[in-house]
Amino acid sequence: MLDIEQVRSRFIKHFDGKTGNIYASPGRVNLIGEHTDYNGGFVMPGAIDKVLMAEIRPNGTNKVMCYSIDQKDRVEFDVDDPVGPRTSWARYIYGVVQEMRKRGVDVKGFHTAFAGDVPLGAGMSSSAALESCFAFAINDLFGDNKIEKFDLALVGQATEHNYCGVNCGIMDQFASVFGKKDHLMRLDCRSMEYEYLPFNPVGYKVVLLDSLVKHELASSAYNDRRKSCENVVAAVQAKYPEKDVKLLRDVTWDMLNDVKGDVSEEDYKRASFFVGETDRVMAVSEALKNGDYEKVGEMMYATHTALSKEYEVSCEELDFLNDIAKENGVTGSRIMGGGFGGCTINLVKEELYEKFIADAQQKYLAKYGKRPKVYDVIISDGAHKVC
């Protein structure tokens, strides 16, 4: 767990000995609802107990002076600089400053030192944690908290789009801002409406196993799958001109089966995954309301199978980890994230946890020559002021 003193001691050391305010914002997991955001579907993220923490103090100038504790690197920029810093981590802070200014916040210079314990490259959205932390802090320090929470999430998304070259959806920033302890959030990516769902699985642990692989075809494969979804939507629009079909979310099973002969087998499979995933998200929503974690786990396994066989975004290593979870009686397990590598997310009974982790590490090491990284997570609160 990240310690306040780790951040405060470096802030004092690297600036003028005075202290500021400390803010934190978490990474996230997504229990179910994968590859659904760009089709207008549902996602079900939760904020986790791994955060980006920053100490910040206005300095009375137009200069933002940043120290990355993890990188041991210092960058400064002027708030009026039209280009901004080249250092990749500093561009997130610069982007947030610019996006908050666009929304009418008179951002001035500040000192900041920050650190994080959100694992990098494991699909827990360390960049969204950074963006949300600074958006929340700037809103508090310079904006009288006038910017609504949803707009803070949009600031993070716009930072990715406009300053970091990543055309991401809204889920990561949304989860980081809106997170609530012992709750997941079902976000409708079409309407942007959301609902908190209880998630307090007493007697279970949530653990991520990082396969430590990332296959290179991920970006081109992602584009191919988006195109497949668009092809099916176009076929449905042609067959149902009277219906208001804009996204795959608007397509029912009946509509999909009606156009089966008009689209390729591959496109049909991709669309089948999405329509099925919508059903699975709804089943998990009901199960959470009823405290039925066995049903939640059943749907997680079903999603993994569909992501592997229909959407084809798994890989040998992830399927191997999923099989080990089944062999060990793990309640639920699936790929989390875009696929082709990364993590599985697992819902495991506490009494099975030690044996499962030991077995997964031993068998994975024997087959692939490395041990998967293990990340236990607890569903926690979103962006907040620490002190």
Side-chain angles (χ1 to χ4, degrees):
M1 196 73 179
L2 200 59
D3 188 270
I4 290 172
E5 282 312 308
Q6 288 174 256
V7 176
R8 175 143 283 170
S9 62
R10 302 303 194 287
F11 185 83
I12 289 169
K13 177 184 174 184
H14 286 277
F15 296 108
D16 52 12
K18 297 174 186 169
T19 59
N21 294 335
I22 294 181
Y23 301 86
S25 195
R28 64 101 186 113
V29 292
N30 185 34
L31 188 73
I32 199 162
E34 213 64 80
H35 283 278
T36 52
D37 53 351
Y38 51 85
N39 288 311
F42 293 94
V43 291
M44 198 178 286
I48 58 174
D49 58 334
K50 292 168 174 39
V51 301
L52 186 290
M53 188 180 289
E55 183 151 7
I56 303 177
R57 186 169 55 79
N59 59 25
T61 74
N62 267 0
K63 289 268 187 215
V64 175
M65 301 182 185
C66 319
Y67 181 71
S68 169
I69 297 166
D70 300 327
Q71 302 286 337
K72 297 184 172 58
D73 191 17
R74 185 167 174 147
V75 171
E76 61 180 70
F77 61 85
D78 195 289
V79 296
D80 293 317
D81 182 347
V83 178
R86 295 179 64 178
T87 307
S88 57
W89 63 260
R91 289 204 63 76
Y92 291 103
I93 301 172
Y94 171 79
V96 169
V97 167
Q98 302 311 316
E99 290 298 324
M100 291 296 281
R101 292 175 82 205
K102 286 180 190 175
R103 288 158 176 79
V105 177
D106 187 19
V107 187
K108 299 296 186 188
F110 54 86
H111 293 152
T112 182
F114 66 93
D117 62 354
V118 184
L120 300 177
M124 286 179 254
S125 304
S126 55
S127 60
L130 178 61
E131 292 150 6
S132 302
C133 183
F134 278 91
F136 188 95
I138 287 168
N139 194 34
D140 185 49
L141 291 169
F142 299 103
D144 296 322
N145 291 301
K146 69 182 179 184
I147 305 296
E148 297 289 331
K149 284 172 80 171
F150 209 96
D151 281 330
L152 295 180
L154 291 172
V155 162
Q157 184 189 31
T159 295
E160 298 271 5
H161 291 186
N162 299 333
Y163 307 93
C164 305
V166 179
N167 190 25
C168 65
I170 192 67
M171 175 177 73
D172 297 350
Q173 293 80 9
F174 171 85
S176 193
V177 171
F178 281 89
K180 183 177 177 183
K181 184 174 169 53
D182 295 335
H183 289 78
L184 299 174
M185 295 155 284
R186 189 184 70 202
L187 173 65
D188 183 333
C189 296
R190 181 176 61 182
S191 69
M192 292 297 142
E193 294 172 337
Y194 65 94
E195 178 183 359
Y196 285 108
L197 297 165
F199 186 79
N200 187 21
V202 175
Y204 296 84
K205 284 178 176 279
V206 178
V207 57
L208 275 60
L209 293 184
D210 187 347
S211 67
L212 304 174
V213 297
K214 195 69 188 170
H215 293 289
E216 288 306 310
L217 62 133
S219 57
S220 61
Y222 171 82
N223 291 335
D224 291 343
R225 279 149 186 75
R226 284 195 77 148
K227 186 72 174 73
S228 281
C229 296
E230 289 160 8
N231 291 344
V232 172
V233 169
V236 172
Q237 287 169 335
K239 186 152 274 191
Y240 290 91
E242 76 284 2
K243 302 276 191 186
D244 187 24
V245 173
K246 294 189 175 73
L247 296 160
L248 204 48
R249 166 72 182 283
D250 305 315
V251 175
T252 65
W253 278 114
D254 286 343
M255 289 176 178
L256 178 59
N257 289 323
D258 270 357
V259 300
K260 188 173 182 178
D262 305 329
V263 298
S264 72
E265 184 182 344
E266 182 175 88
D267 289 353
Y268 177 80
K269 269 203 309 188
R270 307 289 191 246
S272 292
F273 161 75
F274 172 80
V275 181
E277 186 73 345
T278 301
D279 292 344
R280 288 185 287 271
V281 171
M282 290 307 168
V284 168
S285 300
E286 285 308 304
L288 289 175
K289 290 172 186 175
N290 297 324
D292 184 355
Y293 291 100
E294 294 301 310
K295 182 67 173 179
V296 171
E298 180 190 325
M299 291 296 101
M300 290 170 71
Y301 277 118
T303 286
H304 182 91
T305 300
L307 282 166
S308 180
K309 306 296 184 231
E310 293 179 350
Y311 221 61
E312 296 178 294
V313 293
S314 189
C315 61
E316 179 190 323
E317 295 91 343
L318 289 167
D319 288 344
F320 186 72
L321 287 172
N322 187 255
D323 288 341
I324 293 171
K326 276 192 192 125
E327 289 164 15
N328 280 272
V330 169
T331 301
S333 176
R334 73 169 192 88
I335 308 165
M336 189 186 80
F340 306 107
C343 291
T344 60
I345 181 171
N346 304 271
L347 181 64
V348 54
K349 286 181 177 166
E350 287 178 354
E351 63 265 27
L352 301 176
Y353 175 84
E354 297 290 346
K355 179 179 176 294
F356 165 53
I357 296 301
D359 197 43
Q361 292 201 314
Q362 179 194 339
K363 287 178 177 171
Y364 199 81
L365 177 65
K367 189 167 177 67
Y368 299 109
K370 51 194 171 187
R371 295 179 189 274
K373 285 187 179 173
V374 179
Y375 302 112
D376 295 321
V377 296
I378 297 168
I379 301 304
S380 301
D381 288 322
H384 60 280
K385 185 176 180 178
V386 178
C387 63

